[in-house]
Amino acid sequence: MTLATTPASSFKKAQDYASKKDWDKAIVEYEKLLDRESSQNASLYNLIGDLHSKKGDLDKAFQNYEKAIDIYCEQTLYNNAIALCKKCLRLDESRVEIHNKLGGLYASQGLVQDALHHLTEFAMRKRVTGETKAVETTWKRILTIAPDNTSFRS
């Protein structure tokens, strides 16, 4: 007779693997938990992202972080999403899309100066890569956030 694994036992197993720095096995166990929870647990995506980061696989880490950010936004946990965006930028400041998300999050919280900072950064980086449509869209967005700020009109 086999015992069915419970979420608590899977979580414990994942933590044990992580404590032994066996990142791959820990990731597998956390992903099993996600499968059980219909993939709407932002904290688990964040944990999996951390493990991928420790492995040195930033692409997979960011896939998980961005999924967590999206879930936090769906759940209107904007402060959690902002904190995770900041963590992403600490790991890799070249992730330009994070500036766009962070700008939008700050704008939704009424933090205009922070929103303008990140949206401007996003637009400037897109301009360097020649993505004029993204630049134009972002500047229009900036003007709706701060319509009276004349420095952005030029």
Side-chain angles (χ1 to χ4, degrees):
M1 185 167 102
T2 60
L3 290 172
T5 56
T6 64
S9 66
S10 289
F11 191 77
K12 173 85 170 92
K13 207 181 218 183
Q15 287 179 315
D16 289 344
Y17 286 132
S19 71
K20 296 173 187 167
K21 298 184 188 246
D22 193 340
W23 313 130
D24 290 322
K25 288 182 181 176
I27 289 168
V28 167
E29 290 301 320
Y30 283 128
E31 286 175 342
K32 285 180 189 176
L33 287 168
L34 276 178
D35 289 341
R36 289 183 178 174
E37 296 187 13
S38 304
S39 302
Q40 290 303 305
N41 188 325
S43 296
L44 283 176
Y45 280 107
N46 187 12
L47 281 169
I48 294 168
D50 288 343
L51 294 173
H52 280 295
S53 178
K54 289 176 182 179
K55 281 179 50 176
D57 190 345
L58 285 184
D59 285 336
K60 284 188 179 175
F62 275 88
Q63 287 172 6
N64 283 280
Y65 291 145
E66 289 178 12
K67 181 67 176 165
I69 292 165
D70 292 341
I71 292 169
Y72 282 138
C73 289
E74 289 168 15
Q75 297 171 347
T76 64
L77 297 171
Y78 301 120
N79 289 337
N80 294 29
I82 288 169
L84 193 46
C85 284
K86 288 178 176 183
K87 176 176 161 177
C88 288
L89 289 176
R90 283 191 306 272
L91 285 172
D92 184 357
E93 65 182 29
S94 72
R95 300 278 177 160
V96 67
E97 291 302 324
I98 299 295
H99 284 287
N100 191 34
K101 283 185 189 232
L102 197 49
L105 285 163
Y106 279 132
S108 73
Q109 296 297 297
L111 301 169
V112 174
Q113 291 307 313
D114 291 322
L116 296 177
H117 167 76
H118 287 284
L119 291 173
T120 301
E121 184 68 27
F122 175 77
M124 304 279 271
R125 290 181 186 208
K126 288 294 185 179
R127 188 180 71 188
V128 169
T129 62
E131 296 177 59
T132 56
K133 181 78 171 151
V135 173
E136 183 180 318
T137 302
T138 304
W139 285 117
K140 286 178 182 176
R141 191 172 172 198
I142 287 170
L143 291 175
T144 63
I145 293 169
D148 298 329
N149 191 327
T150 56
S151 64
F152 286 106
R153 295 206 175 275
S154 59

